[in-house]
Amino acid sequence: MKIISKNNRKNSFLNETSAYTGVYIVLIGILISSILITVTMGSVDISIKDVYEIIMYKLFGIGNAERLSKGPVHDIVWFVRLPRIILAVTVGIGLSVSGVIMQAIVKNPLADPYILGVSSGASLGATLAIMLGIGVFFGSNYVGICAFIGAFAISILVLTLANVNGRANSTKLLLAGMALSTVCSAFSSFIVYLSNDRDAAPTIMYWLMGSVAGARWENIRIIFPLVIVTTLFFITQYRTLNLMLLGDEVSITLGTDIHKYRQIYLLITSIIIGFIVYSSGIIGFVGLIIPHLVRMIFGTDHKRAIVLSALIGAIFLVWADVLSRSIIQGSELPIGILISMIGAPTFIYLMISKSYGFGGNG
């Protein structure tokens, strides 16, 4: 029988840690490069020099204030391109991390941030706002705010329903989410059918397909710190998340009752999704494909899966947004359609080429 010494185990751990640190550095480099490249891309031809001069002035106060603080070029770079890219990064991180957490909560690799009815709740909220004018007192952002309220309200209802006649578990959460998702979708369709408003229906459809075109610094200042803080929080919870994959019985045997953690994580994730829906509409598939891809390649340890999913999700959404703006000349393809067109075939390929489930290399 082969005996592994403490030094060998230590060297193996150090080598593995160094390898993942290298992967993190490479992905961070790709993300930063993606931001720097895509900020120079757009329908309006602006020199790379002007783009970076404006950014350097706005961030660090370097340059000619009179020339760089105003004008059409300044407005395009600072109020259109850069916030759009930063929002894409934020949404990519938020959806991917939420996908990791949702898959652990329901112990199902097919889960994504919208599997528990969050998406349908947001859709119902948006439909009520657009078709019936509910929430107009919230101001110009009333559609997004109503969508946020709908998403969070459904999450509370899912938890309440799953805890009826006993404590919630992964199966009851999944079934409750699917049931409420169906109810919300039915009510949304019913409202659209009854209103017979031909002008509002396309607005709903476009909003439900998702877009980061409406990015504004006011929203980003709220959603970006929220997504980063919650991501860091979930990284600290990797041990509990790993236990969730083993099931309730095994977790209790090991001395951890994951029931309360599952509910806390669901509520936190719902808040993230609610803010993402508020700022960019509904963008599906990212929370499904990115975490599943990460688990297949890097293994199931949440300490790494969360960080890797966040970085890869951010990179993916930045370039998906670029494609959505450039794939059709003179028009913009809703990013939700584009991601589904890319993600569905990719996911089918991954399922065929790899063993399905929470398996991986770890």
Side-chain angles (χ1 to χ4, degrees), residues 172-319:
K172 291 176 70 176
L173 283 170
L174 191 58
L175 292 174
M178 292 174 65
L180 289 174
S181 177
T182 303
V183 171
C184 289
S185 296
F187 271 104
S188 296
S189 300
F190 181 68
I191 293 169
V192 172
Y193 177 78
L194 281 185
S195 67
N196 198 27
D197 188 340
R198 294 182 178 180
D199 296 327
T203 303
I204 292 176
M205 289 304 298
Y206 190 83
W207 190 87
L208 295 179
M209 292 173 188
S211 174
V212 293
R216 297 183 303 169
W217 287 118
E218 307 91 85
N219 296 341
I220 293 172
R221 289 189 185 103
I222 298 173
I223 186 175
F224 183 77
L226 174 70
V227 168
I228 297 301
V229 168
T230 50
T231 298
L232 293 174
F233 167 75
F234 282 128
I235 292 172
T236 67
Q237 302 296 302
Y238 72 93
R239 289 189 179 88
T240 305
L241 291 166
N242 287 342
L243 281 176
M244 285 183 178
L245 301 185
L246 301 176
D248 292 69
E249 294 80 8
V250 176
S251 300
I252 291 173
T253 302
L254 294 174
T256 302
D257 185 359
I258 60 175
H259 171 69
K260 64 177 181 179
Y261 292 105
R262 184 181 284 118
Q263 297 187 81
I264 292 170
Y265 296 165
L266 176 58
L267 288 176
I268 294 174
T269 304
S270 299
I271 291 172
I272 297 174
I273 298 302
F275 273 99
I276 288 174
V277 168
Y278 164 72
S279 60
S280 61
I282 295 175
I283 302 175
F285 229 97
V286 177
L288 172 63
I289 188 70
I290 299 299
H292 198 68
L293 178 65
V294 167
R295 283 193 173 103
M296 281 183 165
I297 298 174
F298 299 102
T300 58
D301 186 358
H302 285 90
K303 186 176 183 180
R304 301 182 184 116
I306 293 173
V307 179
L308 292 167
S309 296
L311 292 172
I312 294 173
I315 294 167
F316 175 74
L317 211 70
V318 166
W319 286 105

Side-chain angles (χ1 to χ4, degrees), residues 125 128-129 133-150 216 219 278:
L128 289 170
I134 292 176
V136 290
F137 52 85
F138 287 123
S140 59
N141 293 323
Y142 74 99
V143 175
I145 294 172
C146 287
F148 169 80
I149 294 173
R216 297 183 303 169
N219 296 341
Y278 164 72

Side-chain angles (χ1 to χ4, degrees), residues 292-293 296 345-356:
H292 198 68
L293 178 65
M296 281 183 165
T346 303
F347 189 63
I348 292 172
Y349 170 76
L350 290 172
M351 288 179 61
I352 294 172
S353 63
K354 292 280 187 179
S355 58
Y356 185 71

